[in-house]
């Protein structure tokens, strides 16, 4: 676990290295003299678990803002010798995750405050990851349902087109059948008239033959 300690002078720091090492068993402690140097170091060490800042609380705002501007959400705990409430509020309002006064209780207060801040950040990060996972699964499900919906709409369009074409063919076939039926009716009527004329002609011939036969007797 990497922890960055920002203090103007390492030898005169409010926080002793032994206090920082009480935060966890596997602490790797690094030191930066200024917030500017700390920002440069943090860009190359994005896995840093927490930052302890020994500066006046009022000067923390720009550091935390720049830190967040880099996309770094790691906890920042401010350590100061001031017991006044205003510096504490200024530090917290700037985005700091904790505020510790450098007094006799710092050996217990600082490890506890930093550990809580790290745990809150870990919980927040896990929540963000879970939300991102849920969003990704929802997006994938929505994309799949959208694809299915588009495919169903396409299939429906194809079926509607096929149905329209079938209706058109049936209409054409109906018209064609009606035309054929009319033609057959005309042909049948003409044939029937021809048969009637032939019958009348045969009847006339038969009558003439009968008359001739009668005259011969």
């Amino acid at each position: 676990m990497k922890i960055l300690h920002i203090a103007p002078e390492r030898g005169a720091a409010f926080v002793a290295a032994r206090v920082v090492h009480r935060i966890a068993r596997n602490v790797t402690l690094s030191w930066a003299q200024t917030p500017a140097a700390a920002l440069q170091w943090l860009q190359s060490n994005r896995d840093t678990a927490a930052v302890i800042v020994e500066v006046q609380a009022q000067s923390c705002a720009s550091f935390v803002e720049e830190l967040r501007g880099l996309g770094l959400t790691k906890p920042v705990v401010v350590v100061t010798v001031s017991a006044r409430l205003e510096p504490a509020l200024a530090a917290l309002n700037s985005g700091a995750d904790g505020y510790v006064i450098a007094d006799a209780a710092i050996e217990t207060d600082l490890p506890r405050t930093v550990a809580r801040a790290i745990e809150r950040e870990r919980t927040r990060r896990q929540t963000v990851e879970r939300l991102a996972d849920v969003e990704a699964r929802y997006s994938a499900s929505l994309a799949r349902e959208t694809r299915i919906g588009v495919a169903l709409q396409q299939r429906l369009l194809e079926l509607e087109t096929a149905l329209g074409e079938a209706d058109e063919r049936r209409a054409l076939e109906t018209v064609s059948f009606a035309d054929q039926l009319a033609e057959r009716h005309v042909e049948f009527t003409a044939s029937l008239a021809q048969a009637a004329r032939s019958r009348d002609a045969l009847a006339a011939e038969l009558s003439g033959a009968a008359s001739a036969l009668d005259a011969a007797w």
Side-chain angles (χ1 to χ4, degrees):
M1 175 189 294
K2 292 182 182 178
I3 293 180
L4 178 63
H5 183 194
I6 306 173
E9 297 295 337
R10 179 177 290 183
F14 303 149
V15 181
R18 71 175 186 279
V19 177
V20 178
H21 282 287
R22 291 181 61 183
I23 297 171
R25 294 180 179 179
N26 58 339
V27 170
T28 299
L29 180 62
S30 298
W31 174 75
Q33 189 172 20
T34 64
L39 287 171
Q40 185 175 0
W41 186 88
L42 287 168
Q43 291 185 67
S44 301
N45 295 270
R46 291 178 174 262
D47 58 340
T48 302
V51 180
I52 299 171
V53 187
E54 287 193 16
V55 293
Q56 292 298 323
Q58 293 87 340
S59 66
C60 245
S62 60
F63 168 71
V64 176
E65 289 172 0
E66 290 184 62
L67 185 69
R68 302 302 183 233
L70 295 172
L72 300 173
T73 59
K74 49 196 79 292
V76 177
V77 176
V78 178
V79 179
T80 181
V81 293
S82 175
R84 295 171 53 236
L85 182 61
E86 291 81 2
L89 292 176
L92 296 174
N93 289 335
S94 72
D97 300 272
Y99 182 89
V100 177
I101 298 174
D103 56 14
I106 192 172
E107 299 221 4
T108 55
D109 289 348
L110 181 64
R112 181 169 58 247
T113 301
V114 174
R116 287 177 179 174
I118 291 174
E119 179 60 23
R120 283 197 303 270
E121 172 58 18
R122 185 185 67 82
T123 302
R124 185 201 67 81
R125 190 166 55 250
Q126 288 178 342
T127 301
V128 170
E129 290 173 353
R130 284 196 297 269
L131 290 175
D133 180 63
V134 170
E135 183 178 357
R137 286 189 281 110
Y138 172 76
S139 298
S141 176
L142 181 61
R144 183 173 60 256
E145 292 176 358
T146 300
R147 289 194 300 272
I148 293 173
V150 170
L152 289 175
Q153 288 179 348
Q154 181 64 30
R155 182 56 180 162
L156 179 60
L157 180 60
E158 292 173 355
L159 291 174
E160 289 177 346
T161 301
L163 181 61
E165 293 174 351
D167 288 341
E168 185 177 353
R169 285 194 303 271
R170 185 168 60 250
L172 291 174
E173 290 172 355
T174 300
V175 171
S176 176
F177 178 75
D179 291 342
Q180 293 177 12
L181 184 61
E183 291 176 2
R184 297 293 183 274
H185 179 70
V186 171
E187 293 174 356
F188 176 75
T189 301
S191 178
L192 185 61
Q194 179 64 34
R197 287 193 297 270
S198 297
R199 183 196 60 195
D200 291 342
L202 289 173
E205 291 179 3
L206 182 60
S207 177
S211 296
L213 184 60
D214 289 341
W217 285 97

